[in-house]
Amino acid sequence: MSEFFTISVIVATVAAGVRLATPYLFAALGETLGQRSGVLNLGVDGVMLLGAFFAYWVALEHRNLWFAFLAGAAVGLVMGAVYAVVTLVFKAEQGISGIGVYLFGLGFSELLYRQQVGTPRPARSLPDVRIPLLGRIPKVGDMFFNHSLVVYVAIALVPIAALVINHTRFGLNVRAVGETPEAADSMGVSVNGTRTATILLANMLAGVGGAALALELGTFQQNLTNGIGFIAVALVYFGSWRPAGVLAGSLLYGLLTATVNQFKTLGIVTGGTASLATAAPALLTIVALVVIARRRAEQPAALTLPFVRGG
Amino acid sequence: MSNHIQTTHISNKGEHTMTKPHHYSRRRTIGAFIAVGAALTTSGVVSSVASASGVDEFTVAVVMPSAANDLAFSQSMIDSLDRLKEDGSIDDFVYSENMFVVEDAATAIRSYAEEGYDLVVAHGSQYGGSLQEIAPDFPGTAFAWGTASDTFGLDNVSGYTAASDQGGYVMGAMAALMAEDGSIGIIGPIEVGDAKLYVDGFAAGAVSASPDIEVGINYTESFSDTALAAEAATSFVDGGATVLSGTAQMVVGAVGVAQERGVLWFGTQSNQTELAPDVVVASQVYHWEVVLSELIAGVKAGALGGSSYDINLGNGGLVIENNPDYEIPEDVQAAADDLIAQLSSGDLVTGVAQGGEAEDSTAASEPEGTESEGTESEGTESDETEPTGTEAAETTAAADTTEA
């Protein structure tokens, strides 16, 4: 067990990378939309935890995975509504209130888990679905076309998000309120209305991302996400606020995590080296943010700024 | 076979009305959300034993890093205290769970001491530094700390450890005999403490039973990353593993993979059969009550601490509990029973040493005693990645000496 560069190991690693990238992708695509409209949400991880718990709970109690996903999405919408009120009506500092959302999600998901489930109990997990034709391509099929449905949904959302942002009236409004809300407002675009829509969508996707994680594992634990939501926020910067960039970042992160894991499994890295290697994905994030710092121009100009007419 | 499945769930809606989690505020409040969140986190679960200072009753308070029903480290202590309560050794106990923030745990430990509990257990080696500060302030209170064998030279602190390599060795041998043509994968959290002992013991046992077997070890570097533990399990199975094992609370994810992929699983710390009834073969279960009853008898007699204790196969503190629904081949069971007998009597040692590499059992090191008197800390057992305060201090001191 020490050879990484064999076909079967590489196929398994790439497949794992794609699988691992999925929760990041959902959350980061949502956050991209939110940030393009000028709203930063650092509470993504908390919303993911709530989405994960409710999806797990529904899967445990009702065994219906579709309902489980809907539960994850619904709890995301609820959290989005709360966050919209906090940031748009009360114009709270976005960075701080996002941390509040995170801590709320962390504590509340843990409390509910303890109250409603208690001890670790396995729930149904998502089955893999091999896509016809494409799934039968040797190697490539195993890497990319033999995953659970949520993986395909996440990837399909990338072009959809790009299309919405760049080629629809709604997307135009989103970009306008994210760059120059005053100008958008003077043109009759509802700044807070547009932002409410993006906040709801972003939080719903965060909830779905959490659900994807819990249902892929078929379990829930305290702090199940382990910071996925925070990495997702970083991946938005990494991807320069573009869905394709976010996809690239998510896949890179997933592949790096999968590769490090495979190296450890194969015994290629052990001991202290393994500990260092485990930190590689986090280091990547930091490096990426340093690089991005030079591309600040691409950041939505009104990010984190509450809109006050005439203000 | 001993079939001692513990499914006692002490929750706020549980049947043990006296024994409720006792939560201290764990996060500072930053704005309304957090206030609400904190209120939710503590609501309905705060309770304390009114008779804590009762003259005749012996009451225990325990602070632990993960959930009381984690099917792992924390639960092993709760189950043990339950058994002590049943046999009358203690009258009652309270606990604070999920104390992964050491400062919060320290607050809880101090409060319990102030409230007059007869024994305050700091169940997590990362709490050592706090205990070292708190214990001298309460000379009349007995404290216990594990997994650790250091008592800081304080006569009101006891240490307790688990020779988890012994059960690991037995189950590793069973795994090798049941692996058929496959390999073995072991998933650990961080390479320290009884997790490392277990992993190394398991590997040594497997190799002793089948010298050519492939054994892979993957430390996820986290006690809480369930997804990564699942991914480690998946990569092992993809690589041809037919038997998996692992230790710490994040292995729940890995057990799920074992169940889904139909590979065998060996558990440790608590009985993990209920997680995956089809594939769990056996679990090494910690029976802390074996040493706690001795410790408590000492406290009742006036000796508040100063000793350290060790659970192992020989003193019955470690028990291999089989899954009653899994039929273990007779020759495998016979081999396991033989190893248990040999390890219990001291005729065989695992060859695994704290901080050392797994060695072949023939290259024997020192035999394991039932009571250890070492001063070395046993490492961490929770979400903490840093070494304990004392370990850090010792390491620094050693480094300084070397440099000087």
Side-chain angles (χ1 to χ4, degrees):
Chain A
M1 271 213 248
S2 61
E3 193 58 60
F4 179 74
F5 291 101
T6 59
I7 294 296
S8 65
V9 170
I10 289 173
V11 166
T13 308
V14 173
V18 173
R19 189 168 60 235
L20 286 170
T22 304
Y24 294 94
L25 192 51
F26 276 118
L29 282 175
E31 182 67 10
T32 301
L33 197 62
Q35 291 200 13
R36 286 299 284 268
S37 75
V39 181
L40 171 74
N41 180 9
L42 288 180
V44 178
D45 205 51
V47 179
M48 288 185 81
L49 281 167
L50 287 169
F53 170 75
F54 277 97
Y56 162 74
W57 190 29
V58 170
L60 195 65
E61 299 292 330
H62 301 291
R63 297 187 59 79
N64 186 318
L65 296 177
W66 289 112
F67 285 163
F69 260 99
L70 285 177
V75 75
L77 280 174
V78 171
M79 291 306 291
V82 174
Y83 194 64
V85 171
V86 170
T87 54
L88 302 181
V89 178
F90 296 114
K91 307 201 189 313
E93 178 66 45
Q94 289 174 10
I96 302 300
S97 50
I99 292 171
V101 170
Y102 162 64
L103 289 175
F104 172 80
L106 178 66
F108 196 45
S109 62
E110 180 194 327
L111 171 72
L112 286 173
Y113 174 68
R114 212 166 49 220
Q115 297 263 28
Q116 303 300 331
V117 185
T119 198
R121 276 165 61 196
R124 272 187 73 193
S125 58
L126 293 163
D128 285 344
V129 177
R130 190 177 284 274
I131 291 189
L133 297 177
L134 290 172
R136 279 197 238 127
I137 304 170
K139 317 304 174 205
V140 176
D142 285 333
M143 285 192 272
F144 299 105
F145 303 110
N146 185 25
H147 290 289
S148 57
L149 274 179
V150 284
V151 175
Y152 309 129
V153 172
I155 290 173
L157 275 177
V158 175
I160 293 172
L163 196 75
V164 168
I165 291 172
N166 296 316
H167 300 287
T168 65
R169 174 162 289 276
F170 174 68
L172 184 67
N173 291 349
V174 167
R175 284 178 286 140
V177 301
E179 295 292 343
T180 52
E182 293 79 9
D185 183 54
S186 67
M187 296 296 286
V189 176
S190 167
V191 175
N192 283 349
T194 307
R195 286 182 175 173
T196 302
T198 59
I199 290 172
L200 288 174
L201 281 169
N203 281 275
M204 186 189 78
L205 285 174
V208 168
L213 178 69
L215 297 178
E216 186 81 57
L217 290 169
T219 192
F220 184 85
Q221 289 263 279
Q222 173 198 42
N223 192 21
L224 183 77
T225 53
N226 262 279
I228 287 177
F230 289 101
I231 301 293
V233 174
L235 289 174
V236 175
Y237 285 74
F238 180 95
S240 300
W241 296 269
R242 289 195 302 265
V246 165
L247 172 67
S250 300
L251 283 176
L252 185 62
Y253 203 89
L255 282 172
L256 203 56
T257 308
T259 305
V260 170
N261 175 57
Q262 191 66 259
F263 273 27
K264 290 199 288 187
T265 291
L266 296 175
I268 296 170
V269 292
T270 53
T273 322
S275 309
L276 274 179
T278 309
L283 288 175
L284 167 82
T285 312
I286 295 168
V287 170
L289 291 179
V290 170
V291 173
I292 300 306
R294 285 188 278 162
R295 295 193 299 189
R296 277 260 152 183
E298 294 172 46
Q299 178 173 320
L303 188 60
T304 78
L305 301 178
F307 174 68
V308 184
R309 185 171 286 164
Chain B
M1 275 314 95
S2 72
N3 174 19
H4 204 290
I5 301 172
Q6 265 293 340
T7 50
T8 314
H9 307 312
I10 302 167
S11 68
N12 30 300
K13 57 176 183 181
E15 56 281 88
H16 295 246
T17 48
M18 285 291 284
T19 310
K20 289 189 173 183
H22 189 147
H23 283 270
Y24 289 87
S25 170
R26 301 187 295 107
R27 290 179 194 94
R28 297 220 168 76
T29 307
I30 317 171
F33 273 115
I34 309 155
V36 176
L40 288 166
T41 310
T42 48
S43 66
V45 289
V46 178
S47 169
S48 92
V49 172
S51 59
S53 55
V55 187
D56 301 313
E57 298 203 327
F58 192 93
T59 53
V60 178
V62 55
V63 176
M64 52 198 173
S66 48
N69 42 26
D70 63 354
L71 286 176
F73 185 68
S74 293
Q75 183 169 341
S76 71
M77 178 53 76
I78 293 297
D79 289 348
S80 298
L81 288 171
D82 257 336
R83 290 187 280 261
L84 284 173
K85 195 175 158 184
E86 269 168 39
D87 74 15
S89 301
I90 62 172
D91 293 290
D92 212 341
F93 67 96
V94 293
Y95 61 90
S96 286
E97 61 186 348
N98 289 322
M99 292 278 123
F100 55 89
V101 178
V102 173
E103 295 80 45
D104 295 341
T107 308
I109 293 168
R110 188 174 284 281
S111 303
Y112 282 142
E114 281 168 357
E115 287 167 28
Y117 287 92
D118 300 291
L119 174 66
V120 179
V121 181
H123 191 52
S125 47
Q126 68 271 38
Y127 304 148
S130 310
L131 200 60
Q132 193 174 9
E133 280 180 27
I134 296 167
D137 295 343
F138 300 92
T141 302
F143 295 90
W145 174 43
T147 53
S149 48
D150 191 354
T151 62
F152 313 113
L154 295 168
D155 55 15
N156 63 337
V157 175
S158 306
Y160 58 88
T161 60
S164 54
D165 54 316
Q166 294 192 342
Y169 192 92
V170 175
M171 295 195 297
M174 293 169 79
L177 296 173
M178 297 170 80
E180 295 176 347
D181 291 332
S183 57
I184 292 175
I186 316 171
I187 298 141
I190 294 168
E191 203 172 352
V192 291
D194 76 331
K196 176 172 168 52
L197 279 180
Y198 175 75
V199 170
D200 288 350
F202 200 96
V207 173
S208 78
S210 174
D212 296 327
I213 198 154
E214 272 186 284
V215 182
I217 297 172
N218 187 332
Y219 283 101
T220 61
E221 305 297 331
S222 163
F223 281 90
S224 61
D225 201 330
T226 313
L228 206 51
E231 208 50 57
T234 303
S235 60
F236 276 128
V237 178
D238 285 344
T242 52
V243 186
L244 297 177
S245 185
T247 176
Q249 52 271 29
M250 83 298 168
V251 296
V252 172
V255 181
V257 172
Q259 172 90 347
E260 193 183 309
R261 303 284 294 266
V263 302
L264 301 180
W265 178 266
F266 286 87
T268 187
Q269 296 182 330
S270 286
N271 192 318
Q272 292 171 346
T273 298
E274 64 182 91
L275 276 177
D278 300 338
V279 298
V280 172
V281 179
S283 307
Q284 164 176 251
V285 181
Y286 289 11
H287 286 261
W288 296 113
E289 71 270 19
V290 171
V291 294
L292 283 178
S293 58
E294 200 180 326
L295 195 157
I296 287 165
V299 174
K300 283 177 174 170
L304 297 183
S307 308
S308 52
Y309 302 83
D310 185 32
I311 52 169
N312 52 47
L313 291 172
N315 65 14
L318 294 179
V319 178
I320 310 288
E321 296 181 1
N322 291 349
N323 174 357
D325 295 329
Y326 189 92
E327 208 152 309
I328 298 173
E330 276 177 28
D331 57 325
V332 174
Q333 189 58 57
D337 291 341
D338 187 41
L339 285 174
I340 292 171
Q342 287 189 53
L343 286 164
S344 299
S345 67
D347 292 344
L348 175 70
V349 291
T350 64
V352 171
Q354 180 71 31
E357 289 289 306
E359 292 163 30
D360 193 77
S361 60
T362 49
S365 62
E366 290 169 49
E368 306 267 344
T370 52
E371 201 164 313
S372 62
E373 293 180 328
T375 51
E376 193 191 342
S377 165
E378 271 278 330
T380 63
E381 179 58 85
S382 115
D383 298 291
E384 284 295 305
T385 53
E386 284 100 354
T388 63
T390 46
E391 272 184 330
E394 280 169 16
T395 314
T396 315
D400 288 345
T401 319
T402 318
E403 279 168 25

